[in-house]
Amino acid sequence: MPLPDHHADLVIASLSLTNMDDMPGVVGEIARVLRPEGRFCFSVLHPINSWGDAGADCFETVRYTEELRRNEAQMILHDTHRPLSDYFGALEDVGFLVERIVEPVPDDAYIAAFPEIVRWLERPGFLLVRARLAYE
């Protein structure tokens, strides 16, 4: 990143770490630009979902392509299924401590507006993580 060391207090990555070829390298670069005690908040498609989309062993790291269609619109996603240990190992390797993990559950109003996500009541759609950079 074109930022000096220890420059930022917060880095946010929304649904992007699955698209990074070198995810541990990206996490390392985030640690470099954060000030001591800085926070990194990220979201990813929950690995229980990407595992099914990738058609792989849940403990494998596998690239896959998914095509989404809604009415006339089409989107092709190129993602990587990673087990939880890949994400949390990358955080640990560069000095992050996980403060919070959230697996959001949709409420009735959201399901009424988007009935296709009713499956998220049985398995989480996303994983949200907040980690703090800890220096010893």
Side-chain angles (χ1 to χ4, degrees), residues 47-125:
I48 200 166
N49 280 310
S50 63
W51 165 44
D53 293 339
D57 180 311
C58 68
F59 297 110
E60 255 183 300
T61 299
V62 178
R63 294 177 191 271
Y64 68 97
T65 300
E66 181 181 10
E67 183 178 327
L68 302 177
R69 291 180 178 272
R70 181 173 284 169
N71 302 322
E72 301 292 319
Q74 173 189 354
M75 188 169 31
I76 297 175
L77 306 174
H78 302 278
D79 289 327
T80 304
H81 162 74
R82 292 184 171 91
L84 290 172
S85 58
D86 281 8
Y87 293 109
F88 293 105
L91 293 169
E92 180 183 27
D93 288 348
V94 295
F96 280 105
L97 296 174
V98 174
E99 293 183 319
R100 182 140 192 222
I101 298 170
V102 177
E103 297 168 302
V105 177
D107 62 17
D108 292 339
Y110 196 79
I111 292 171
F114 304 97
E116 66 275 12
I117 58 94
V118 70
R119 69 186 182 281
W120 293 353
L121 293 175
E122 296 174 1
R123 65 180 197 187

Side-chain angles (χ1 to χ4, degrees), residues 14-21 23 43-47 50 62-64 78-82 87:
S14 178
L15 298 173
S16 60
L17 292 180
T18 57
N19 304 109
M20 304 295 172
D21 290 335
M23 184 272 297
S43 64
V44 293
L45 183 64
H46 197 289
S50 63
V62 178
R63 294 177 191 271
Y64 68 97
H78 302 278
D79 289 327
T80 304
H81 162 74
R82 292 184 171 91
Y87 293 109

Side-chain angles (χ1 to χ4, degrees), residues 1-20:
M1 282 188 272
L3 295 173
D5 293 357
H6 313 297
H7 184 75
D9 293 318
L10 173 68
V11 173
I12 298 172
S14 178
L15 298 173
S16 60
L17 292 180
T18 57
N19 304 109
M20 304 295 172

